């Protein structure tokens, strides 16, 4: 495989300074702006760096770190290493010699762990351990082997002809998928902003009254404990004891304040920041929020502690622990469904990245990149399973970073791959990243995920003029997707209950189907995909095409003279033809049409209708 692309400029000879720092006017890049004191209207946006533009090593590392920090919150050490390796190939976009295919998208797109397989993994491992007596290591190895076998689905999809790809994944499907992924991710961002996902999922109801005993006094002054009703919270507090000493309920003022500090910092940098600060606003806001959290305390307790850093190894690597691979047939169908869903996500995420990178999302180049991303998804799924990690997929978070920073250069993507790999190997550095408070991380990611929604909306509008058909598909998809996003128990409680006699194969299929229905973006994506295939295309508008509705085929001997008239209800009292040429007069037989009767000639009880016409149009009278 070789890296070949007609759009990529030839390499240039650069000095060492240019290689390290690039060729920039650093006075302009680093000078803050004060728009309210500027007499000129508006402030120029930060410079946009295209896919193949040169950044310089230092700038690329800063930009790449933003992408890495946007996705490391939920990844473990082994996953970081695998993500770094496969992100490199995703950004590289290596053309396969002698074929129209490539391996990887060739754009700034990062790979991350797909957590849609977690429910299936939990179910399969539980069955293997409880019913078949396997140890956890054996059960996890069997699941990884099954994942590696099913990961060929994205590989197969990557070789489907272009016309089928365009038919199955038009802009309306890709745009809906991207938009719903952003909506789903904003929920995750808000959970982190409020203190953490675990306490958010277990703090869904307000404090409730419970029976308790409170001190009371008899009239004679004797004290006793009287039964009463006390308002007591659920008792689940946010916080990880390995990284913080502060444990507060979800949505506490302290957590909201830390996240809001990061969110407001991004806004301030957008208003007053220099071009470089606006390009690097994500990492600057995140580090500022982290610094504040590390310096302040609550009731003498620290928000950030170093226990995790102290216990982490200096250097680590993959395969220090191995799992014997196997195969579990009942998990095949659920995993196939999951890989089809992740393939839809990949198509949408890649299209969103191309849109943010100002590259065409259609045509041969766009299709080749999407198919290269699908191929990389399949190979990543196989490799990650062999590397003891859950399967990877194209991440949507990075689309928001590109839209916010205006940097789409592949050099930032290679730098992101380097950071992910480095964070996976250097245990101390990786542990330091994981000590970022969830609320600080949530304030940043919520803003990024909103940009993902904007990318989806833009793809829908640019790719489809919102015809009646596309609006119908959009409405149906959003109705189901937003419904399950707001009320997920609609699909998880009693739609398909688990029974004691349900075998493992049926349980796996049930879990996969419920997973698809109860996850907003998968439900909406599948709905949009199916409706796009079964709903017929809108016919060209007759008015727009210059044609007319309901031409009169046979209305007596003069039907040909009325070809531009609309069909009106027939009045049985009239014997005259429904229309006459505009040049005809009531008494002129030379006009070529039957003379129209005058009012005096009309039969008794007849009604005369006259429609005003534009000059040159046919006059109509009955």
């Amino acid at each position: 495989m070789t890296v070949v692309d007609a759009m990529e400029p030839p390499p240039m000879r650069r000095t060492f300074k240019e290689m390290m720092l690039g060729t920039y006017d650093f006075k302009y890049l680093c000078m803050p702006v004060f728009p309210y004191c500027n007499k000129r209207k508006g402030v120029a946006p930060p410079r946009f760096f295209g896919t193949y533009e040169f950044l310089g090593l230092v700038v690329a590392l800063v930009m790449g770190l933003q992408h890495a920090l946007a996705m490391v919150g939920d990844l473990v050490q082994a996953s970081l290493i695998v993500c770094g390796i496969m992100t490199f190939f995703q950004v590289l976009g290596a053309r396969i010699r002698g074929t129209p295919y490539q391996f990887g998208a060739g754009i700034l797109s990062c790979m991350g762990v797909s957590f849609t397989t977690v429910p299936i993994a939990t179910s399969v491992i539980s069955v293997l351990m409880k019913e078949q007596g396997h140890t956890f290591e054996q059960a996890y190895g069997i699941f990884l082997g099954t994942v590696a076998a099913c990961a060929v689905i994205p590989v197969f999809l990557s070789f489907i002809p272009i016309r089928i790809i365009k038919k199955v994944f038009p802009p309306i499907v890709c745009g809906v998928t991207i938009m719903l992924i952003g909506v789903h991710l904003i929920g995750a961002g808000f959970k982190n902003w409020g203190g953490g996902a675990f306490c958010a999922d277990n703090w869904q109801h307000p404090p409730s009254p419970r029976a308790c005993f409170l001190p009371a006094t008899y009239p004679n002054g004797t004290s006793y404990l009287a039964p009463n009703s006390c308002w007591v919270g659920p008792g689940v507090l946010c916080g990880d004891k390995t990284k913080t000493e502060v444990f507060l309920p979800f949505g506490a003022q302290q957590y909201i304040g830390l996240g809001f500090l990061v969110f407001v910092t991004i806004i301030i940098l957008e208003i007053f920041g220099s071009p470089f600060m606006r390009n690097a606003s994500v990492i600057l806001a995140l580090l500022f929020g982290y610094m504040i959290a590390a310096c302040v305390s609550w009731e003498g307790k620290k928000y950030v502690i170093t226990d995790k850093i102290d216990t982490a190894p200096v250097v680590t690597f993959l395969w220090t622990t191995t799992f014997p691979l196997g195969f579990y047939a009942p998990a095949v169908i659920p995993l196939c469904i999951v890989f089809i869903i992740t393939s839809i996500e990949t198509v949408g995420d890649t299209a969103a990245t191309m849109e943010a990178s100002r590259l065409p999302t259609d045509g041969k180049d766009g299709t080749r990149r999407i198919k290269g991303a699908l191929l990389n998804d399949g190979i990543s799924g196989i490799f990650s399973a062999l590397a003891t990690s859950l399967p990877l997929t194209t991440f949507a978070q990075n689309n928001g970073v590109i839209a916010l920073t205006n940097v789409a250069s592949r050099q930032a993507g290679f730098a992101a791959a380097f950071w992910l790999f480095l964070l996976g190997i250097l245990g101390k550095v990786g542990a330091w990243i994981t000590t970022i408070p969830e609320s600080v991380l949530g304030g940043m990611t919520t803003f990024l995920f909103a940009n993902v929604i904007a990318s989806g909306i833009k793809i829908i509008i640019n790719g489809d003029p919102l015809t009646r058909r596309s609006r119908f598909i959009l409405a149906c998809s959003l109705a189901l997707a937003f419904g399950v996003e707001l009320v997920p128990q609609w699909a998880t409680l009693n739609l398909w209950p688990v029974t004691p006699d349900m075998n493992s194969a049926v349980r796996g299929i049930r879990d996969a189907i419920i997973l698809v229905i109860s996850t907003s973006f998968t439900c909406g994506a599948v709905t949009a995909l199916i409706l796009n295939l079964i709903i017929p295309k809108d016919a060209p508008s007759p008015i727009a095409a210059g044609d007319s509705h309901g031409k009169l085929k046979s209305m007596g001997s003069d039907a040909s003279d009325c070809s531009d008239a609309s069909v009106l209800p027939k009045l049985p009292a009239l014997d005259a033809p429904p229309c006459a040429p505009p040049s005809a007069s009531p008494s002129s037989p030379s006009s070529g049409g039957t003379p129209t009767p005058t009012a005096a000639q009309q039969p008794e009880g007849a009604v005369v209708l006259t429609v005003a016409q534009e000059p040159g149009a046919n006059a109509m009278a009955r």
Side-chain angles (χ1 to χ4, degrees), residues 470-528:
S470 60
R471 287 198 300 267
F472 184 86
I473 295 174
L474 186 63
C476 290
S477 305
L478 297 184
L480 295 177
F482 285 170
V484 298
E485 182 68 31
L486 297 172
V487 190
Q489 61 270 26
W490 175 82
T492 57
L493 292 181
N494 298 300
L495 183 61
W496 191 348
V498 178
T499 58
D501 58 343
M502 184 179 290
N503 60 50
S504 58
V506 176
R507 174 66 184 273
I509 297 174
R510 178 260 179 200
D511 290 346
I513 294 176
I514 293 298
L515 174 67
V516 172
I517 297 176
S518 61
T519 305
S520 60
F521 60 88
T522 58
C523 181
V526 171
T527 302

Side-chain angles (χ1 to χ4, degrees), residues 340-514:
I340 292 174
I341 294 301
T342 57
S343 298
I344 297 175
E345 294 178 44
T346 297
V347 172
D349 290 338
T350 307
T353 303
M354 289 190 292
E355 183 273 327
S357 304
R358 302 183 185 179
L359 296 174
T361 58
D362 52 4
K364 291 184 178 180
D365 182 71
T367 305
R368 189 185 72 245
R369 294 183 188 276
I370 290 175
K371 296 173 75 171
L374 285 171
L375 179 59
N376 187 58
D377 255 34
I379 300 300
S380 298
I382 298 172
F383 173 66
S384 62
L386 299 178
T388 71
S389 174
L390 292 175
L392 307 184
T393 189
T394 305
F395 256 32
Q397 286 92 318
N398 308 99
N399 303 329
V401 180
I402 295 174
L404 183 62
T405 63
N406 259 11
V407 177
S409 173
R410 292 196 310 167
Q411 290 188 1
F414 290 128
F418 166 77
W419 282 114
L420 291 170
F421 188 82
L422 187 67
L423 294 175
I425 291 179
L426 301 179
K428 298 288 186 183
V429 179
W432 170 71
I433 295 296
T434 60
T435 60
I436 299 176
E438 282 83 357
S439 55
V440 173
L441 199 62
M444 176 199 72
T445 55
T446 299
F447 191 87
L448 297 181
F449 299 156
N451 283 277
V452 177
I453 298 177
S455 295
I457 295 174
K458 188 173 183 180
I459 287 178
I460 294 174
I461 295 175
N462 291 348
D464 197 322
L466 286 183
T467 61
R468 183 183 184 280
R469 175 182 182 272
S470 60
R471 287 198 300 267
F472 184 86
I473 295 174
L474 186 63
C476 290
S477 305
L478 297 184
L480 295 177
F482 285 170
V484 298
E485 182 68 31
L486 297 172
V487 190
Q489 61 270 26
W490 175 82
T492 57
L493 292 181
N494 298 300
L495 183 61
W496 191 348
V498 178
T499 58
D501 58 343
M502 184 179 290
N503 60 50
S504 58
V506 176
R507 174 66 184 273
I509 297 174
R510 178 260 179 200
D511 290 346
I513 294 176
I514 293 298

